[in-house]
Amino acid sequence: MHIVVVTKATPDTGAKITVENGVPTWKEAMVINPWDEYSVTEAVVLKEEHKAKVTIMAVGPAEHDDALKQGLAIGCDEAIRVWDEALVGHDSLQYARALAAAIKKLGDVTLVIFGKEFADSGSNQHIYQTARLLGFQVLGSVSKLISLDFGAGTIKVERSVEQGKQTVSSKLPAVLGVLKDITEPRYPSFIGIRKAAKAQIPVWGLSDLGIEAGTPKATILSYSEPPKREGEVEFIEGESPREIAEKLAEKLLEEKVL
Amino acid sequence: MKIFVWTEHFDNKLAQASKEAIGAAKSLGDQVTALVFGQNVDAIVQEAFHFGADAVIKADDATLADFRAEPYIALVAQIARDHQPDAILAGATTRGREVLGGVSADLDAALLDDVLSLSIEDGKLTATRAMYAGKVLTKEQLSGEGVQLATLRSRAFKALDADTSRSGEVISVEPVLSEDEIATKSEGFEGTVGEISLTEAAIIVSGGRGVGGPEGFEPIRELAKVLGGAVGASRATVDAGWIPYEHQVGQTGKVVSPDLYIAAGISGAIQHQAGMRNSKVIVAINKDAEAPIFKLARYGVVGDLFEIVPALTEVFKEKLGK
């Protein structure tokens, strides 16, 4: 019973991000991708319930080691970072190919867990791409794990979609994309942090995985800041809540947004 | 350009996101084919024509009755191999992102996920996307090799007006996988009846820490109901357990862009702003005149939400005749 949970480091969600000399820039620290606080915790909860092994993985340069170490501090057993200079400027398909090859190399993985999406790119396609490349079932937008039986090779989950909640059962191996509802996040203990700080994280290159980097088929051409909204507020005042409400309602009817 | 649109439907109606995707495809391509999967989907096929499809590829089968990623991905990939479209689009809904994400790997075809705008430059699909939950915008481009994929953010593209006189050719195809070959089973669906999904809502009324507790959302819900809108919430209220997570707007919740966003008792942390700053008109109601939310707002009211919000509900009831 071997679970892989996938993470990356992203800027703190409170970071003020600007575009300087054409690239996104911020002062705040990198943190574990906020959605992964839930997926990593869920992996550790499942490890405890099922006596499974959890490997936390990231694809990327050394800046992702802190996210991996946070995973170790929370209770993941091992961390592996996949990286190769040939992957600089990779697109999501190249990412997924490298990740899928690394998961295959582990050999005995039957469950892979991702957080909902990457908070930096705002994309979740890597979840579905990785699943298809592995030939695993994919269950995205999972809000609840109803049952998991490694022995029987089955899993049942609740998925949150736009119109409600769907219950789906599947055979393992499977890839899950999990939402915040899945669990309450755990934070590292002092002892966990100390132990993780000493961990040497192995780095697997493309030659270790026996694959080529390929070339990106999707490229970011430029970055920009969204148009500013500041400075346009009109305060509505009045003698009574009723008067304020009437003035505001008039304004909104004029805006034709109702 | 030959463009396919994977459509989805619910309660025997074509999804709004699919109507928008067909509309976007029409503005980019000369030949738009809608893919309609499900069981007894003839009404959906007609709707796809009404909203602009020139042709429909239909797969009508019991194995496709409920959405499941595996048979849907396999079928879209097979149709793409057989018919060689230049591009496949879908709404960036939960299901749309799953389907085209999977198809991307099956066809080794790149995908622009959750795009805000779309164009074709030298035959290459080119998009505006949001990074860091909208704090930064990117211009991204595909290489133009093979089939090109994109999912389109809800409300970022315009659907055409329905024209019920339109129709076209319907091609029927068989599913790729039989029930025995599918490893997943859909075991039930619990709909959120009467609730409008946040990402599709034209109007959102949101409550923040200022509502004070679970019952503080009552006036927020009443105003949303009168306006025909959805109820949103800040992370603080969700973390406090006052309202379910489905309502959370912000960087770790939903990113929304309604025509009208009313923020009541929300101070406007940067994470919340990231989720709603693209709303057309923002109204902020807050006791604290210094709250950062006022910097984003078009209209502001410094006051008690428990006085202002019910007064607004009353006034709109009268003005909108409800």
Side-chain angles (χ1 to χ4, degrees):
Chain A
M1 290 164 288
H2 193 169
I3 300 168
V4 163
V5 62
V6 181
T7 193
K8 77 180 295 189
T10 61
D12 190 290
T13 57
K16 184 169 165 34
I17 301 179
T18 55
V19 177
E20 309 291 339
N21 302 318
V23 289
T25 306
W26 61 91
K27 293 194 184 75
E28 292 80 356
M30 296 284 273
V31 298
I32 190 167
N33 178 39
W35 301 103
D36 299 345
E37 292 180 5
Y38 305 89
S39 51
V40 172
T41 302
E42 183 63 14
V44 172
V45 168
L46 292 176
K47 164 193 153 165
E48 292 163 359
E49 283 176 7
H50 296 270
K51 301 194 171 28
K53 175 181 175 183
V54 177
T55 300
I56 185 165
M57 281 190 170
V59 179
E63 67 186 40
H64 298 285
D65 279 349
D66 284 348
L68 292 170
K69 284 183 178 173
Q70 184 169 343
L72 290 174
I74 293 170
C76 296
D77 300 297
E78 278 176 29
I80 294 166
R81 185 160 61 79
V82 177
W83 188 239
D84 201 299
E85 285 304 312
L87 287 170
V88 171
H90 66 79
D91 66 10
S92 185
L93 274 169
Q94 291 172 286
Y95 171 98
R97 270 197 297 270
L99 180 61
I103 293 169
K104 273 185 197 155
K105 186 177 158 79
L106 290 173
D108 57 350
V109 176
T110 48
L111 189 63
V112 181
I113 310 179
F114 289 88
K116 178 180 177 246
E117 63 188 26
F118 286 150
D120 51 3
S121 67
S123 183
N124 64 12
Q125 55 178 303
H126 58 281
I127 301 172
Y128 312 107
Q129 289 163 339
T130 304
R132 295 299 285 184
L133 292 170
L134 286 168
F136 287 16
Q137 296 305 313
V138 60
L139 301 166
S141 210
V142 171
S143 44
K144 194 195 281 179
L145 202 158
I146 299 167
S147 65
L148 171 64
D149 186 335
F150 280 109
T154 56
I155 186 167
K156 190 192 282 193
V157 302
E158 174 193 88
R159 281 163 38 80
S160 271
V161 298
E162 282 76 4
Q163 301 85 358
K165 294 183 191 306
Q166 183 187 23
T167 303
V168 187
S169 63
S170 176
K171 290 178 189 151
L172 296 176
V175 168
L176 310 183
V178 301
L179 305 180
K180 273 177 78 170
D181 322 57
I182 195 85
T183 190
E184 285 293 323
R186 290 187 194 173
Y187 298 100
S189 64
F190 179 67
I191 294 168
I193 293 170
R194 277 196 26 189
K195 221 171 110 190
K198 290 185 209 141
Q200 289 295 317
I201 296 174
V203 180
W204 290 358
L206 294 177
S207 59
D208 300 315
L209 302 176
I211 60 166
E212 303 277 327
T215 48
K217 292 181 179 175
T219 320
I220 297 177
L221 301 179
S222 62
Y223 298 90
S224 61
E225 290 177 23
K228 294 266 182 288
R229 298 191 71 112
E230 280 80 0
E232 55 169 341
V233 64
E234 177 182 340
F235 283 100
I236 311 287
E237 293 167 346
E239 293 300 312
S240 65
R242 170 87 199 181
E243 191 188 330
I244 293 170
E246 279 179 356
K247 283 186 187 170
L248 180 55
E250 278 309 317
K251 296 280 187 192
L252 295 179
L253 289 167
E254 280 169 28
E255 295 271 5
K256 301 200 188 307
V257 288
L258 293 170
Chain B
M1 209 168 204
K2 190 165 136 188
I3 302 183
F4 284 10
V5 178
W6 179 75
T7 65
E8 62 188 299
H9 47 92
F10 196 80
D11 269 351
N12 215 23
K13 289 190 195 71
L14 186 63
Q16 179 60 28
S18 299
K19 295 175 189 171
E20 291 167 6
I22 294 172
K26 286 294 278 184
S27 70
L28 292 175
D30 37 54
Q31 235 271 322
V32 174
T33 302
L35 311 186
V36 179
F37 301 170
Q39 193 175 25
N40 303 325
V41 289
D42 287 343
I44 309 298
V45 169
Q46 291 313 312
E47 252 195 301
F49 286 127
H50 298 165
F51 282 92
D54 301 302
V56 168
I57 295 177
K58 172 179 93 163
D60 204 320
D61 193 88
T63 58
L64 303 169
D66 292 313
F67 175 84
R68 288 180 290 181
E70 189 186 16
Y72 273 63
I73 292 168
L75 184 52
V76 174
Q78 189 56 48
I79 290 170
R81 288 185 202 105
D82 292 343
H83 295 265
Q84 301 285 325
D86 297 303
I88 309 176
L89 310 182
T93 58
T94 305
R95 302 179 186 97
R97 295 176 81 173
E98 289 171 355
V99 170
L100 289 200
V103 167
S104 162
D106 282 19
L107 299 178
D108 196 20
L111 163 65
L112 293 166
D113 190 13
D114 199 21
V115 304
L116 305 173
S117 77
L118 207 51
S119 62
I120 295 164
E121 296 180 7
D122 302 329
K124 298 170 184 172
L125 215 51
T126 308
T128 310
R129 292 189 66 253
M131 280 187 75
Y132 312 105
K135 291 175 188 171
V136 172
L137 300 178
T138 58
K139 184 179 178 187
E140 302 190 21
Q141 191 168 60
L142 301 184
S143 64
E145 307 157 58
V147 57
Q148 308 186 72
L149 310 176
T151 57
L152 283 56
R153 179 168 297 181
S154 285
R155 300 184 49 77
F157 296 84
K158 266 185 91 81
L160 301 176
D161 291 328
D163 175 354
T164 52
S165 69
R166 285 182 50 95
S167 93
E169 187 193 2
V170 181
I171 302 161
S172 286
V173 296
E174 296 297 319
V176 175
L177 299 175
S178 68
E179 190 58 46
D180 294 346
E181 295 168 312
I182 302 169
T184 48
K185 300 264 175 272
S186 181
E187 304 206 343
F189 195 91
E190 191 188 322
T192 39
V193 183
E195 277 194 37
I196 302 160
S197 123
L198 273 178
T199 45
E200 290 172 10
I203 297 173
I204 295 173
V205 186
S206 274
R209 215 185 288 267
V211 304
E215 59 292 336
F217 273 99
E218 230 11 77
I220 306 284
R221 281 193 195 94
E222 281 168 29
L223 179 56
K225 195 175 163 199
V226 167
L227 296 175
V231 174
S234 70
R235 176 175 182 164
T237 63
V238 172
D239 285 351
W242 298 349
I243 188 162
Y245 170 62
E246 292 97 278
H247 294 275
Q248 186 178 321
V249 172
Q251 192 150 356
T252 51
K254 296 207 168 70
V255 175
V256 299
S257 50
D259 294 335
L260 174 61
Y261 189 90
I262 300 179
I266 294 178
S267 65
I270 193 162
Q271 293 93 333
H272 189 76
Q273 292 190 13
M276 45 66 82
R277 61 173 302 133
N278 287 320
S279 308
K280 200 166 149 203
V281 174
I282 295 169
V283 174
I285 301 164
N286 203 296
K287 275 183 180 169
D288 175 10
E290 301 299 316
I293 191 80
F294 286 120
K295 292 207 169 110
L296 284 187
R298 174 75 189 89
Y299 300 104
V301 177
V302 180
D304 183 351
L305 77 93
F306 290 104
E307 292 178 358
I308 306 297
V309 172
L312 267 175
T313 305
E314 281 307 305
V315 169
F316 279 121
K317 260 186 197 164
E318 292 161 21
K319 288 198 187 284
L320 301 172
K322 285 184 183 171

